[in-house]
Amino acid sequence: MPLSSFPLRASIAVSDIHAAVAFYEGKLGLPVLHTGPSARIEGGGRVYGSGGGPALNVYQSTTAGTTAATLATWYVDDLDQLVDELAAAGVETVRYDGLEYDDRGITPRAGGGRIAWIQDPDGNTFALESDS
């Protein structure tokens, strides 16, 4: 059976599950679908929903924030509105050298559309992309 037959979720390591909860639930507004232990910590893991199903496994680990790569991408209809809403919740966009940004921290995406990046408290990076 090919892997394409099964759902896929991103797994995100965090150093402090309580700080992660404040970010993913409080600032991003993601719903918790399941909690469980992680790293022998009761309630140290969460499964968050997005787009109508489970999307992110967030768990406490000593490997938190060790990659500079984008870990997951949300494809959105209104990037300006979403970035404004996140900014109001205290989430800042990340700016990388060599790219030009508008006042919100949004830059043109290669191949068309636009993109912005955000990071959780451990520096795990997520993209927000729009085709317009």
Side-chain angles (χ1 to χ4, degrees), residues 14-15 24 27 29 36 44 62 64 69 77 80 91 106 124 126:
V14 298
S15 62
Y24 290 97
K27 293 186 176 188
T62 59
D77 294 328
D80 295 303
V91 179
I106 299 170
N124 292 312
F126 300 90

Side-chain angles (χ1 to χ4, degrees), residues 8-119:
L8 178 67
R9 278 191 289 233
S11 292
I12 311 300
V14 298
S15 62
D16 178 342
I17 194 64
H18 302 293
V21 165
F23 179 77
Y24 290 97
E25 295 171 35
K27 293 186 176 188
L28 299 188
L30 297 178
V32 178
L33 302 181
H34 175 72
T35 64
S38 177
R40 299 189 182 102
I41 298 167
E42 186 65 31
R46 302 281 192 284
V47 176
Y48 290 107
S50 187
L56 292 177
N57 296 328
V58 175
Y59 62 98
Q60 188 159 317
S61 172
T62 59
T63 63
T66 58
T67 182
T70 300
L71 297 175
T73 302
W74 277 280
Y75 296 92
V76 304
D77 294 328
D78 190 334
L79 186 57
D80 295 303
Q81 179 181 346
L82 179 61
V83 168
D84 287 347
E85 289 172 4
L86 290 173
V91 179
E92 296 179 11
T93 55
V94 177
R95 296 171 192 244
Y96 297 102
D97 291 338
L99 298 175
E100 293 185 23
Y101 296 90
D102 68 12
D103 292 343
R104 291 180 171 96
I106 299 170
T107 187
R109 181 180 66 193
R114 300 180 311 139
I115 186 169
W117 290 274
I118 60 172
Q119 293 178 331

